[in-house]
Amino acid sequence: MKSMMLAAVLLGAALGVSGCATTQSPTGRGQTLLYSPAQMQQMGDASFAEMKKQQKLSSDKKLTQYVQCVASRIISQLPDQTQRWDVVLFDSEQVNAFALPGGHIGVYTGLLKVATTPDQLATVIGHEVAHVLAQHGNEQVSRGQLTNVGMQIADVALGVGGVANRNAYMAALGLGAQVGIILPFGRAQESEADIMGLELMARAGFDPSQSVVLWQNMAKVGGSQGPQFLSTHPSNEQRIVQLAQLQTQVQPLYQQASPGKNQCVLPR
């Protein structure tokens, strides 16, 4: 009886602090978002801080500057120019990258062996930033709360920070591969991130046609299972076809971009 009463109290508290918003994604798809932007930023900040403690940062200044150059061009096209972004290059053979609420981008050195041009790297960074813009992380955390109420309600009701349950939060934010928990974004979310990411990179002066080459490269890496990136970002023929079809929509944006806008050079 006491446990049932406690559960009821926690549920009421969780609903009180979170609220429930039904909105539309950038492509018009319905979304249920239980968390405020401030709460999502707290989760993103905590998860990113923990990752920087646990994983080795690259000491290659030129390579780091290159990644930051590409990321800064993408960031320059975001609607909110007041948000500061932290861009970090991790020293790891993982073929992976991510972006988090709160303005955080992580890229692994292994990705640069597959994304071999600035345009291809911009494809990945644009895609990851698009997940944040479209609030896909909020969707994932909200879905986890609705389907696995116990832990999530306790966390929200008791005001527990993101670090205390970083595995759950990081998985919900699309970082499951980093902590051994796979919780991939859904097909609709991936398609939205593809569309938005292509538009971002095109406006930033990166050639969106290289997105097709990038995903073809991804499909060739790591044998039958592919690189780590594909565990949460499935690559298949249908996706490549969709990217090719989107070129007529995004190439005009690329052509309109200022000449010389993309001046990032991969160190050799």
Side-chain angles (χ1 to χ4, degrees):
M1 179 64 69
K2 289 183 178 180
S3 62
M4 292 179 64
M5 292 177 63
L6 176 60
V9 171
L10 292 178
L11 177 58
L15 293 177
V17 299
S18 297
C20 180
T22 300
T23 184
Q24 286 189 330
S25 73
T27 62
R29 179 177 55 84
Q31 293 177 303
T32 298
L33 308 177
L34 302 182
Y35 290 81
S36 69
Q39 288 172 311
M40 292 306 302
Q41 176 165 341
Q42 181 184 19
M43 292 182 198
D45 291 348
S47 295
F48 199 61
E50 189 68 16
M51 292 188 74
K52 288 193 291 185
K53 290 179 182 178
Q54 293 185 351
Q55 303 192 41
K56 183 180 179 181
L57 304 184
S58 174
S59 60
D60 190 325
K61 293 183 179 179
K62 290 185 178 180
L63 211 55
T64 299
Q65 289 174 352
Y66 163 69
V67 170
Q68 291 175 340
C69 177
V70 174
S72 68
R73 295 309 318 157
I74 298 294
I75 293 167
S76 72
Q77 300 303 308
L78 300 182
D80 182 6
Q81 288 296 302
T82 64
Q83 173 70 67
R84 297 184 63 183
W85 287 76
D86 185 14
V87 182
V88 169
L89 180 63
F90 292 100
D91 186 3
S92 171
E93 289 301 309
Q94 290 188 55
V95 180
N96 217 338
F98 62 87
L100 289 174
H104 308 289
I105 295 173
V107 175
Y108 292 83
T109 53
L111 175 64
L112 303 181
K113 297 179 181 179
V114 180
T116 58
T117 68
D119 302 288
Q120 292 175 21
L121 179 59
T123 299
V124 178
I125 293 178
H127 176 94
E128 294 304 311
V129 170
H131 276 306
V132 176
L133 291 183
Q135 301 193 76
H136 292 161
N138 198 334
E139 275 192 276
Q140 295 293 83
V141 180
S142 300
R143 185 180 303 153
Q145 179 167 317
L146 293 172
T147 59
N148 188 17
V149 176
M151 181 189 69
Q152 295 284 354
I153 286 180
D155 283 350
V156 177
L158 299 176
V160 178
V163 174
N165 289 284
R166 61 181 180 274
N167 284 12
Y169 290 137
M170 291 169 74
L173 292 170
L175 295 175
Q178 306 302 322
V179 292
I181 302 173
I182 303 300
L183 185 57
F185 288 125
R187 182 71 52 150
Q189 294 169 323
E190 287 295 317
S191 294
E192 285 178 345
D194 280 343
I195 296 169
M196 295 174 65
L198 285 181
E199 292 182 353
L200 283 173
M201 69 179 293
R203 294 182 187 277
F206 295 101
D207 184 0
S209 69
Q210 284 294 300
S211 64
V212 176
V213 180
L214 180 280
W215 285 104
Q216 290 172 339
N217 291 350
M218 284 285 189
K220 296 176 184 177
V221 176
S224 60
Q225 293 185 344
Q228 186 70 51
F229 192 75
L230 298 187
S231 65
T232 52
H233 299 74
S235 175
N236 52 40
E237 291 299 323
Q238 183 179 358
R239 180 177 213 156
I240 293 174
V241 168
Q242 181 186 23
L243 289 170
Q245 292 173 340
L246 287 169
Q247 295 305 310
T248 56
Q249 175 180 329
V250 295
Q251 279 295 327
L253 300 177
Y254 173 53
Q255 298 301 325
Q256 293 168 11
S258 301
K261 204 169 191 180
N262 167 23
Q263 298 178 344
C264 306
V265 179
L266 175 62
R268 297 298 182 185

